[in-house]
Amino acid sequence: MTQNPLSASAKAGLRRELLAARRALSPETCSTAAAALAVRALELPELAGAHTVAAYVSVGTEPGTRALLDALRSAGKRVLLPLLLPDNDLDWAAYDGPEGLAAAAHPGRMRLLEPTGPALGPDAVTGADTVLLPGLAVDGRGMRLGRGGGSYDRVLERLERAGARPALVVLLYDDEVVARVPEEPHDHPVQAVATPSGVRRFGP
């Protein structure tokens, strides 16, 4: 995979700026945003009509997903959550409610909460109707800026290899919808973004 040094550098600078803004958010702001995000995300037809949703448990000052996970489960959706593997790839397990989450047993990764049910294998994500992606920003073309760890790049490559076409939705704060995100050849656009104030869909 060829990397564009200029795009990679621009991404790194934008990541630093966005992460600093998130670190400055108060707990009250994060809690209010998480409750609103759950309501707004469920307005998306990509989620309303989904039977299986691959999601994630937010950490720190990420846009909160806990209320959304419970709302999806209450709506009868099958929710898959990631298990971080030692090589940064992702396995998946079903979400059975808050009591079924535990701190990840990876050195240096104790902030992560993961499902305690049986692992379903990395390919389980290919059966999802919608995949919720973490991110730091999205632009008007639907290009997403991730955190740079590469885990979700692998997920997107796996979906492509399998010929799977789930809806891709990124969850962000309102001011993280930006004019332009630096992109590289391996980047994939998303179909929609949900923020606390509303939803926006991209492309056809």
Side-chain angles (χ1 to χ4, degrees), residues 122-198:
D123 287 337
V125 70
T126 64
D129 302 299
T130 299
V131 178
L132 300 180
L133 301 168
L136 292 173
V138 71
D139 67 19
R141 304 165 300 157
M143 298 306 298
R144 162 187 161 269
L145 177 69
R147 295 192 64 144
S151 296
Y152 279 88
D153 289 333
R154 296 192 191 190
V155 170
L156 296 173
E157 290 168 8
R158 182 167 287 115
L159 294 170
E160 189 171 10
R161 285 197 308 269
R165 298 282 187 272
L168 304 176
V169 178
V170 62
L171 306 176
L172 298 172
Y173 292 109
D174 294 323
D175 57 2
E176 293 171 344
V177 181
V178 300
R180 188 83 174 185
V181 165
E183 67 181 279
E184 296 177 84
H186 63 271
D187 290 331
H188 293 71
V190 299
Q191 279 72 56
V193 58
T195 73
S197 69

Side-chain angles (χ1 to χ4, degrees), residues 81-103:
L81 295 178
L83 302 164
L84 186 62
L85 298 173
D87 64 354
N88 273 356
D89 203 350
L90 298 180
D91 202 334
W92 300 87
Y95 177 55
D96 292 322
E99 67 284 353
L101 296 175

Side-chain angles (χ1 to χ4, degrees), residues 42-132:
L42 289 173
E43 294 174 357
L44 280 164
E46 288 88 349
L47 280 179
H51 297 288
T52 299
V53 178
Y56 62 95
V57 182
S58 56
V59 296
T61 55
E62 276 188 321
T65 64
R66 299 288 289 274
L68 177 57
L69 296 179
D70 290 333
L72 289 169
R73 188 164 173 264
S74 295
K77 317 290 184 188
R78 180 175 183 246
V79 180
L80 302 180
L81 295 178
L83 302 164
L84 186 62
L85 298 173
D87 64 354
N88 273 356
D89 203 350
L90 298 180
D91 202 334
W92 300 87
Y95 177 55
D96 292 322
E99 67 284 353
L101 296 175
H106 305 293
R109 300 172 180 172
M110 292 304 292
R111 289 191 309 152
L112 294 178
L113 289 176
E114 295 182 341
T116 56
L120 303 173
D123 287 337
V125 70
T126 64
D129 302 299
T130 299
V131 178
L132 300 180

